[in-house]
Amino acid sequence: MNDDAENLFDVIESGVGEGTLQRVVLSQPTRRSQTTTNRVEIRPIMLKEKQFYQWSGLRGSQAFHENHDPQAILTALRASIGISYRHIHLAVEGRQWSARFSRRGKCRLIQEKHASTPSNSSISTDHNRKRQYLIPEGQPVPFLVQTGIMTPTGQVRSRHFHKFRQINRYVEFIADVVDKLPHEDVIHIVDFGCGKSYLTFATHYYLTQIAQRRVAITGLDRRNDVVQTCHKIVESLGLVGIHFEQGDISTYSPSDHIHLVVSLHACNTATDDAISQAVRWGTDVILSVPCCQHELNAVVKAGQIPLLSRHGILQERFCALTTDAVRSALLEQVGYQTQVLEFVDMEHTAKNLLIRAVRRNSNSESPQLEQVTHELKQFCSVFQIPDLHLQRRLQEFELLQPPADIFPK
Ligand SMILES: C[S@@+](CC[C@H](N)C(=O)[O-])C[C@H]1O[C@@H](n2cnc3c(N)ncnc32)[C@H](O)[C@@H]1O
């Protein structure tokens, strides 16, 4: 496969992975193709709130369409592009490409300049819009319009529907803990590793416009470019009670008591820095969606986890789950009632767990503390799990006893 063909598949795969693929048209059947369909069109649709892709065309004079899930559409495209069809037209997130395969199978990919996406495919194709979202469709929400997720009239653009759904799913978690946060006073929130901050703006919108609370939200990220973009959004929308800073999670120091710490998809041990900072400050609620938990996988020795270590992917998943299980047990040990919940459907991302920790009030004991501590000791002993970053940080802050008391050597 030449570079252009690889690039073409990269664009398609990331478009499907990120839900930004808008249209693919396959035409000019190859000589060896058995197809009677001269042209097929693939476009995203929503069925029962799940992302599918509709593959349609004409067989003779008979129209047909088939709905495929994201994995199946990738397989079908791989089996057709350059093999059954020589010409491919592609639209992903407002950009368009065309690719042509020579008779020898060599691909030439061209990104079309200044091409815009047809407007009739830009609105969400959801076939099942009955579900009531906390941030509903149909009413323009300034930050969603600004970030291109909604049209100015409040319709969700199809390529952003998964993001809209993720935002709403996340807002449900905020709604679930809103009673644990101040009712009258300003709610102080830090969003660690805020990135482009869709979810930070969503928190601000939900709390100020729907729950009618006063907030002071700080979005922190080490990347200056994302912080600058967020500044511009705040400025252009005239938002009050939200600001962004460039900095590192591990060294950030707030000037007020923080009621809610959020860390969503902060990479690897940045999640542990976020959690340990929050615990150190006595934060009332922590919402954390861990991401790329490489720490344990990098130190597990060959054969250490019987059976699973034979397969890289199984060991990797075991390590990720173990890291999150240890995190939630440690949070119990340092005074938080902790739950691990599903954040978004597994089909969209493997990074789909949310750790929710609510600080127990000082005189209420955890009914399961003894049991959790016992299970943690036993588990780590059986699989020889070493101290993880969160343990070390909590020990450094003297919030957790030294390792010898927790893990038998
Ligand atoms: C995958 S993005 C997630 C963005 C956003 N929270 C979301 O869920 O859409 C992770 C972000 O965390 C930031 N980040 C990672 N480690 C960090 C650290 N130690 N301090 C500050 N920001 C960090 C990265 O720069 C990046 O913008």
Side-chain angles (χ1 to χ4, degrees), residues 163 166 191-199 220-223 226 247-250 263-267 270 273 291:
K163 194 84 204 164
Q166 185 197 41
D191 186 343
F192 277 137
C194 56
K196 289 186 190 160
S197 297
Y198 293 102
L199 301 176
L220 186 97
D221 204 287
R222 63 184 173 194
R223 279 179 51 186
V226 291
D248 195 277
I249 297 169
S250 61
S263 104
L264 305 168
H265 308 113
C267 324
D273 288 326
C291 166

Short mmCIF file of all heavy atoms in Angstrom, two decimals, residues 163 166 191-199 220-223 226 247-250 263-267 270 273 291, ligand 1:
data_model
loop_
_atom_site.label_atom_id
_atom_site.label_comp_id
_atom_site.label_asym_id
_atom_site.label_seq_id
_atom_site.Cartn_x
_atom_site.Cartn_y
_atom_site.Cartn_z
N LYS A 163 -20.31 13.75 20.43
CA LYS A 163 -19.74 14.70 21.40
C LYS A 163 -20.88 15.29 22.25
O LYS A 163 -20.78 15.43 23.46
CB LYS A 163 -19.01 15.81 20.63
CG LYS A 163 -18.12 16.66 21.48
CD LYS A 163 -16.77 16.02 21.65
CE LYS A 163 -16.10 16.50 22.89
NZ LYS A 163 -14.99 15.67 23.30
N GLN A 166 -21.89 12.75 24.68
CA GLN A 166 -20.89 12.61 25.74
C GLN A 166 -21.01 13.78 26.72
O GLN A 166 -20.95 13.59 27.93
CB GLN A 166 -19.49 12.58 25.13
CG GLN A 166 -18.40 12.33 26.15
CD GLN A 166 -17.02 12.70 25.63
OE1 GLN A 166 -16.84 13.72 24.97
NE2 GLN A 166 -16.04 11.88 25.92
N ASP A 191 -10.84 22.07 36.89
CA ASP A 191 -10.85 21.03 35.86
C ASP A 191 -9.41 20.84 35.40
O ASP A 191 -8.84 21.68 34.70
CB ASP A 191 -11.74 21.47 34.70
CG ASP A 191 -11.90 20.36 33.65
OD1 ASP A 191 -11.08 19.41 33.66
OD2 ASP A 191 -12.83 20.45 32.84
N PHE A 192 -8.82 19.72 35.84
CA PHE A 192 -7.42 19.44 35.54
C PHE A 192 -7.27 18.80 34.16
O PHE A 192 -7.97 17.82 33.86
CB PHE A 192 -6.87 18.46 36.57
CG PHE A 192 -6.41 19.10 37.86
CD1 PHE A 192 -6.73 18.51 39.07
CD2 PHE A 192 -5.65 20.25 37.87
CE1 PHE A 192 -6.29 19.06 40.27
CE2 PHE A 192 -5.20 20.80 39.05
CZ PHE A 192 -5.52 20.22 40.25
N GLY A 193 -6.36 19.32 33.36
CA GLY A 193 -6.14 18.77 32.01
C GLY A 193 -7.37 19.03 31.16
O GLY A 193 -7.90 18.11 30.54
N CYS A 194 -7.82 20.31 31.16
CA CYS A 194 -9.12 20.63 30.55
C CYS A 194 -9.10 20.52 29.04
O CYS A 194 -10.15 20.36 28.41
CB CYS A 194 -9.57 22.02 30.98
SG CYS A 194 -8.35 23.29 30.58
N GLY A 195 -7.93 20.61 28.40
CA GLY A 195 -7.85 20.49 26.94
C GLY A 195 -8.72 21.54 26.26
O GLY A 195 -8.75 22.70 26.65
N LYS A 196 -9.49 21.09 25.25
CA LYS A 196 -10.33 22.05 24.51
C LYS A 196 -11.54 22.49 25.32
O LYS A 196 -12.29 23.37 24.91
CB LYS A 196 -10.78 21.43 23.20
CG LYS A 196 -9.66 21.29 22.21
CD LYS A 196 -10.21 20.80 20.89
CE LYS A 196 -9.11 20.41 19.94
NZ LYS A 196 -9.59 19.52 18.88
N SER A 197 -11.78 21.80 26.43
CA SER A 197 -12.73 22.26 27.45
C SER A 197 -14.21 22.21 27.09
O SER A 197 -15.00 22.96 27.66
CB SER A 197 -12.37 23.68 27.91
OG SER A 197 -11.12 23.64 28.51
N TYR A 198 -14.60 21.33 26.19
CA TYR A 198 -16.03 21.18 25.95
C TYR A 198 -16.75 20.89 27.27
O TYR A 198 -17.81 21.43 27.56
CB TYR A 198 -16.29 19.97 25.04
CG TYR A 198 -15.80 20.10 23.63
CD1 TYR A 198 -14.63 19.48 23.23
CD2 TYR A 198 -16.51 20.84 22.70
CE1 TYR A 198 -14.18 19.57 21.92
CE2 TYR A 198 -16.07 20.94 21.39
CZ TYR A 198 -14.91 20.31 21.01
OH TYR A 198 -14.46 20.41 19.72
N LEU A 199 -16.12 19.99 28.05
CA LEU A 199 -16.81 19.55 29.27
C LEU A 199 -16.71 20.61 30.38
O LEU A 199 -17.58 20.69 31.24
CB LEU A 199 -16.26 18.19 29.72
CG LEU A 199 -16.44 17.10 28.66
CD1 LEU A 199 -15.81 15.78 29.08
CD2 LEU A 199 -17.92 16.86 28.34
N LEU A 220 -7.38 24.05 33.98
CA LEU A 220 -5.91 24.07 33.97
C LEU A 220 -5.39 23.09 32.92
O LEU A 220 -5.84 21.95 32.85
CB LEU A 220 -5.37 23.67 35.34
CG LEU A 220 -3.85 23.82 35.46
CD1 LEU A 220 -3.50 25.15 36.12
CD2 LEU A 220 -3.24 22.68 36.25
N ASP A 221 -4.45 23.54 32.14
CA ASP A 221 -3.82 22.64 31.17
C ASP A 221 -2.39 23.10 30.96
O ASP A 221 -2.09 24.29 31.06
CB ASP A 221 -4.57 22.65 29.83
CG ASP A 221 -4.31 21.35 29.05
OD1 ASP A 221 -3.19 21.20 28.53
OD2 ASP A 221 -5.21 20.49 28.99
N ARG A 222 -1.51 22.14 30.68
CA ARG A 222 -0.12 22.55 30.49
C ARG A 222 0.12 23.11 29.09
O ARG A 222 1.16 23.66 28.81
CB ARG A 222 0.82 21.39 30.78
CG ARG A 222 0.64 20.21 29.86
CD ARG A 222 1.55 19.07 30.29
NE ARG A 222 1.25 17.88 29.50
CZ ARG A 222 1.66 16.68 29.80
NH1 ARG A 222 2.37 16.48 30.89
NH2 ARG A 222 1.37 15.66 29.04
N ARG A 223 -0.86 22.94 28.21
CA ARG A 223 -0.68 23.43 26.83
C ARG A 223 -1.21 24.84 26.69
O ARG A 223 -2.40 25.11 26.89
CB ARG A 223 -1.43 22.51 25.87
CG ARG A 223 -0.62 21.26 25.55
CD ARG A 223 -1.37 20.38 24.62
NE ARG A 223 -1.86 21.08 23.44
CZ ARG A 223 -2.65 20.53 22.53
NH1 ARG A 223 -3.05 19.28 22.68
NH2 ARG A 223 -3.05 21.22 21.48
N VAL A 226 -4.19 25.48 23.93
CA VAL A 226 -5.59 25.21 24.28
C VAL A 226 -6.10 26.25 25.28
O VAL A 226 -7.26 26.68 25.22
CB VAL A 226 -5.84 23.76 24.81
CG1 VAL A 226 -5.66 22.75 23.73
CG2 VAL A 226 -5.02 23.41 26.02
N GLY A 247 -0.59 25.48 33.33
CA GLY A 247 0.18 25.02 34.48
C GLY A 247 0.17 23.51 34.56
O GLY A 247 -0.49 22.84 33.77
N ASP A 248 0.93 22.99 35.53
CA ASP A 248 1.00 21.53 35.69
C ASP A 248 0.13 21.12 36.89
O ASP A 248 0.13 21.79 37.92
CB ASP A 248 2.44 21.08 35.92
CG ASP A 248 2.55 19.60 35.72
OD1 ASP A 248 2.26 18.83 36.67
OD2 ASP A 248 2.89 19.19 34.59
N ILE A 249 -0.57 20.02 36.71
CA ILE A 249 -1.49 19.53 37.75
C ILE A 249 -0.75 19.35 39.07
O ILE A 249 -1.23 19.75 40.14
CB ILE A 249 -2.12 18.18 37.33
CG1 ILE A 249 -2.96 18.38 36.07
CG2 ILE A 249 -2.90 17.56 38.46
CD1 ILE A 249 -3.42 17.10 35.39
N SER A 250 0.46 18.77 39.02
CA SER A 250 1.15 18.38 40.26
C SER A 250 1.60 19.57 41.08
O SER A 250 1.87 19.42 42.28
CB SER A 250 2.35 17.49 39.92
OG SER A 250 3.24 18.21 39.12
N SER A 263 -11.17 15.62 36.53
CA SER A 263 -10.02 15.35 35.65
C SER A 263 -10.48 14.30 34.64
O SER A 263 -10.80 13.17 35.01
CB SER A 263 -8.80 14.90 36.45
OG SER A 263 -8.58 13.54 36.36
N LEU A 264 -10.61 14.73 33.41
CA LEU A 264 -11.20 13.87 32.38
C LEU A 264 -10.16 13.56 31.31
O LEU A 264 -9.65 14.46 30.65
CB LEU A 264 -12.40 14.58 31.74
CG LEU A 264 -13.46 15.03 32.76
CD1 LEU A 264 -14.44 15.97 32.13
CD2 LEU A 264 -14.16 13.84 33.37
N HIS A 265 -9.81 12.30 31.24
CA HIS A 265 -8.84 11.84 30.23
C HIS A 265 -7.49 12.51 30.39
O HIS A 265 -6.80 12.74 29.40
CB HIS A 265 -9.36 12.08 28.79
CG HIS A 265 -10.74 11.53 28.57
ND1 HIS A 265 -11.84 12.31 28.33
CD2 HIS A 265 -11.19 10.26 28.57
CE1 HIS A 265 -12.91 11.55 28.18
NE2 HIS A 265 -12.53 10.30 28.32
N ALA A 266 -7.13 12.88 31.61
CA ALA A 266 -5.77 13.40 31.82
C ALA A 266 -4.85 12.18 31.67
O ALA A 266 -5.15 11.09 32.15
CB ALA A 266 -5.64 14.01 33.19
N CYS A 267 -3.75 12.37 30.99
CA CYS A 267 -2.98 11.20 30.55
C CYS A 267 -2.27 10.47 31.70
O CYS A 267 -1.72 11.12 32.59
CB CYS A 267 -1.95 11.64 29.52
SG CYS A 267 -2.56 12.93 28.45
N ALA A 270 -1.12 11.58 35.30
CA ALA A 270 -1.67 12.93 35.57
C ALA A 270 -2.99 12.77 36.33
O ALA A 270 -3.34 13.61 37.17
CB ALA A 270 -1.88 13.68 34.26
N ASP A 273 -2.06 12.54 39.91
CA ASP A 273 -1.70 13.86 40.44
C ASP A 273 -2.98 14.65 40.76
O ASP A 273 -3.07 15.30 41.79
CB ASP A 273 -0.83 14.63 39.44
CG ASP A 273 0.57 14.03 39.35
OD1 ASP A 273 1.07 13.55 40.39
OD2 ASP A 273 1.16 14.04 38.26
N CYS A 291 -7.21 7.75 31.87
CA CYS A 291 -6.89 7.56 30.45
C CYS A 291 -5.49 6.97 30.34
O CYS A 291 -4.62 7.31 31.14
CB CYS A 291 -6.98 8.93 29.81
SG CYS A 291 -6.30 9.09 28.19
C1 LIG B 1 -6.87 13.92 26.29
S1 LIG B 1 -6.91 15.59 26.77
C2 LIG B 1 -8.46 15.66 27.61
C3 LIG B 1 -9.12 17.01 27.54
C4 LIG B 1 -10.45 17.14 28.25
N1 LIG B 1 -10.33 16.98 29.68
C5 LIG B 1 -11.46 16.16 27.70
O1 LIG B 1 -11.75 15.15 28.34
O2 LIG B 1 -11.99 16.40 26.61
C6 LIG B 1 -5.74 15.60 28.11
C7 LIG B 1 -5.29 16.98 28.44
O3 LIG B 1 -4.59 16.90 29.68
C8 LIG B 1 -3.47 17.77 29.62
N2 LIG B 1 -2.48 17.32 30.60
C9 LIG B 1 -1.90 16.09 30.68
N3 LIG B 1 -1.04 16.03 31.72
C10 LIG B 1 -1.09 17.24 32.32
C11 LIG B 1 -0.43 17.80 33.45
N4 LIG B 1 0.43 17.08 34.18
N5 LIG B 1 -0.71 19.08 33.79
C12 LIG B 1 -1.60 19.81 33.06
N6 LIG B 1 -2.26 19.33 31.97
C13 LIG B 1 -2.01 18.07 31.61
C14 LIG B 1 -3.01 17.67 28.17
O4 LIG B 1 -2.27 18.80 27.78
C15 LIG B 1 -4.34 17.56 27.43
O5 LIG B 1 -4.82 18.81 26.99
#
